[in-house]
Amino acid sequence: MTRIVAFLLISSSLVLPVAGGGRLLAADPPPFAPGSPGPGEGVVPSPLPLPETVSRGVRMVAIDPGHGGKEPGAVGKSGTLEKDLTMALANQAGRALTAAGYRVVYTREDDYFVGLRERTAIANAAGADLLVSIHANASTRADINGYETYYVSFAASDAEAQAMAKKENSSLEASRAPAGASTVTGLEAILWDMAQTEFANQSGEFAARLQKKLFAAVGGHSRGTRQAPLIVLLGARMPAVLVEAGFISNAEEELRLRNQEFAGKFARALVQAVNEVSQALMAGCAPARASTGAGAAVAAVPPAGETAREEAVRQ
Amino acid sequence: MRRRLLLAAALAAVVLAVLFLVLRKGPQGPVPGAGAPGTVGAADLYFADAEGRRLVIERRAISPGTAEETARAVAEELIAGPHDPALVPTLPPNAAVLAVFLQGDTAYLDFSASLSGDHPGGSWSEALTVYSIVNSIAANVPGVAQVQILLDGREGETLAGHIVLDRPLAPQMRLLDGDF
């Protein structure tokens, strides 16, 4: 019920084309990224999408607290649920980012289920410049520990892309799709899955900076950065990473992940990494987010078949 | 007496001939678990290393059979876990193979829902589970280029909330180096 109300409120005020509880913590007037010149120094923030040729820093960060609702994620030996840890870490990180002058959008605000592609769609629709998905790791071996940051450098093979398109098409044909729509949906599915490839380098750099800042802040065992076909990152129209903050299956790290001091260090490390990425983007790299182009329009929402499937799962 | 000597000589000759054949064939004959992948009776199985960082191969003997029987045998060996105690299982021990079928170059492996429900979770653990199955099937079943994992007869979005599972997946051999 809360989610329906949140959806109605958001739909009427911000016109986000997604269901779910995407929450915008909008500072007013729009903030500047730390390190950027202020209004008195000749640069006026524009609410309009900037041309792709103009580099800009990070203004808004989407935070994705992993799992939620019926999906607890990994469970620690002491009964700690991953979904609770990720929410706590996300809240702390969001507060720190807001205090540092960034706008923050959450993909979920409380303990409820949100589909993976819907999470990405919330970040896309809000126009976030970066996406950080927060998770806790697990293993069958209790001694395995450490934290690691992922990014996507996964291009579906031709066979996989064809299989995906074929599946999307057949699922639509089996439902109430109008004639001719199935081909578009197959294309949408592929574009959705390919969205992150445009940002592979920036995502990799973001992951490396975050991992480095985490090591400086909390020490311990850094497992480095990794690449994997993570669904929540695939359709993101912005640099996107997923951080596994520690192993909930390791007794010591389970306790650490629940520790407020750790959450504070984690949040500060994230702010520092975002600051660095923002400065790097403004120093002349490509814009953080492609604000124009047909691909952006197509990939702003998940493929129709997917939304329908996720709706069905929720019911 | 002479007849006895002849009989003893014949027996000795037979024993020597048998010994010769056994010794000659021994090193070249089929040794359980030592055949090449894709050949009858041996399979390369992908498990996780002790640190849970990458996939490593354990070669072992499996019963010969059709492609579908081989795929099922490989999946069941994965569930049984590694023989080497230094390696880490990638599938929950109580998971079960419900059905196996091939269509074109795609193998469909239907597992019981415990493959997902009893998974410890975590992005990398999930990646290792998914690709231990995909790599092992593609490496050992002739003609298979990709693998679709099903859960209780249905496509799942993911196994534990992270890695794509809603389509046939091609093997990722770079996981042997700990990366995609």
Side-chain angles (χ1 to χ4, degrees):
Chain A
M1 189 55 165
T2 310
R3 298 189 62 239
I4 296 169
V5 173
F7 169 58
L8 291 174
L9 286 174
I10 290 168
S11 296
S12 60
S13 57
L14 297 170
V15 203
L16 283 179
V18 291
R23 175 168 49 127
L24 274 174
L25 291 183
D28 190 22
F32 289 88
S36 68
E41 297 169 76
V43 180
V44 179
S46 167
L48 299 173
L50 294 172
E52 282 196 71
T53 50
V54 177
S55 295
R56 71 179 214 192
V58 175
R59 294 178 183 176
M60 186 195 294
V61 181
I63 298 180
D64 173 43
H67 308 281
K70 67 182 182 184
E71 191 185 282
V75 181
K77 286 280 191 293
S78 309
T80 310
L81 303 180
E82 183 184 359
K83 65 177 183 178
D84 297 333
L85 285 181
T86 60
M87 195 71 242
L89 287 172
N91 279 331
Q92 189 97 345
R95 282 195 292 272
L97 284 164
T98 304
Y102 296 101
R103 297 168 75 195
V104 171
V105 61
Y106 294 90
T107 59
R108 72 173 170 99
E109 301 170 65
D110 210 334
D111 184 17
Y112 52 76
F113 175 79
V114 183
L116 289 167
R117 288 188 172 89
E118 189 179 342
R119 293 165 187 260
T120 324
I122 290 169
N124 285 348
D129 299 302
L130 295 175
L131 168 63
V132 185
S133 184
I134 299 172
H135 285 251
N137 222 335
S139 170
T140 50
R141 282 188 54 157
D143 57 326
I144 292 178
N145 63 82
Y147 46 91
E148 57 198 7
T149 307
Y150 293 84
Y151 63 103
V152 169
S153 104
F154 168 77
S157 69
D158 287 348
E160 286 169 355
Q162 280 171 19
M164 182 70 176
K166 193 175 169 187
K167 184 172 76 69
E168 291 293 336
N169 288 344
S170 61
S171 68
L172 245 193
E173 281 157 7
S175 63
R176 67 271 183 266
S182 58
T183 307
V184 175
T185 304
L187 179 63
E188 282 176 359
I190 294 170
L191 284 173
W192 176 266
D193 278 3
M194 300 304 283
Q196 188 56 200
T197 56
E198 183 183 342
F199 304 98
N201 289 341
Q202 293 169 4
S203 296
E205 185 157 331
F206 183 20
R209 288 177 194 275
L210 178 55
Q211 192 65 19
K212 193 176 168 188
K213 293 298 177 190
L214 274 175
F215 182 69
V218 304
H221 182 199
S222 167
R223 291 167 63 92
T225 62
R226 290 174 181 276
Q227 300 164 42
L230 295 156
I231 285 193
V232 77
L233 306 182
L234 276 180
R237 296 283 306 159
M238 67 210 71
V241 299
L242 183 148
V243 55
E244 295 276 7
F247 277 80
I248 201 171
S249 50
N250 176 277
E252 197 177 317
E253 291 204 341
E254 182 184 4
L255 283 178
R256 185 164 88 152
L257 285 163
R258 294 166 60 167
N259 186 301
Q260 275 293 315
E261 189 186 343
F262 174 81
K265 288 177 177 174
F266 174 86
R268 280 194 292 280
L270 177 60
V271 170
Q272 289 168 356
V274 170
N275 284 346
E276 283 192 4
V277 169
S278 186
Q279 285 162 9
L281 288 167
M282 289 206 301
C285 302
R289 184 173 189 272
S291 52
T292 57
V298 170
V301 292
E306 194 58 44
T307 307
R309 192 181 317 149
E310 286 170 356
E311 287 295 336
V313 166
R314 273 197 297 277
Q315 287 165 1
Chain B
M1 184 66 182
R2 193 173 175 186
R3 187 173 291 174
R4 279 186 183 173
L5 275 175
L6 275 173
L7 194 61
L11 269 173
V14 167
V15 167
L16 279 172
V18 167
L19 270 176
F20 173 76
L21 284 172
V22 167
L23 287 175
R24 192 181 67 132
K25 194 178 180 183
Q28 295 170 357
V31 174
T39 61
V40 171
D44 279 353
L45 302 173
Y46 290 72
F47 294 106
D49 74 334
E51 270 285 293
R53 286 179 176 276
R54 63 192 184 92
L55 292 175
V56 290
I57 293 172
E58 186 176 87
R59 185 168 296 184
R60 75 174 63 158
I62 58 165
S63 305
T66 64
E68 271 148 359
E69 287 165 347
T70 301
R72 177 182 282 273
V74 165
E76 284 171 348
E77 289 295 333
L78 288 175
I79 292 168
H83 290 167
D84 182 349
L87 302 183
V88 179
T90 47
L91 275 67
N94 49 348
V97 184
L98 302 180
V100 175
F101 56 97
L102 303 178
Q103 195 172 61
D105 65 353
T106 305
Y108 292 80
L109 275 93
D110 184 14
F111 289 91
S112 62
S114 62
L115 180 67
S116 168
D118 295 328
H119 195 276
S123 297
W124 197 246
S125 294
E126 192 177 336
L128 292 176
T129 300
V130 169
Y131 285 97
S132 76
I133 297 169
V134 173
N135 285 8
S136 298
I137 297 297
N140 296 295
V141 185
V144 170
Q146 50 183 5
V147 178
Q148 169 77 60
I149 297 170
L150 304 171
L151 298 169
D152 266 349
R154 299 178 183 175
E155 287 174 6
E157 187 179 41
T158 67
L159 208 58
H162 312 88
I163 304 291
V164 291
L165 199 68
D166 57 3
R167 69 201 68 175
L169 297 169
Q172 295 284 347
M173 294 306 172
R174 285 183 64 194
L175 274 166
L176 291 167
D177 300 322
D179 216 337
F180 273 89

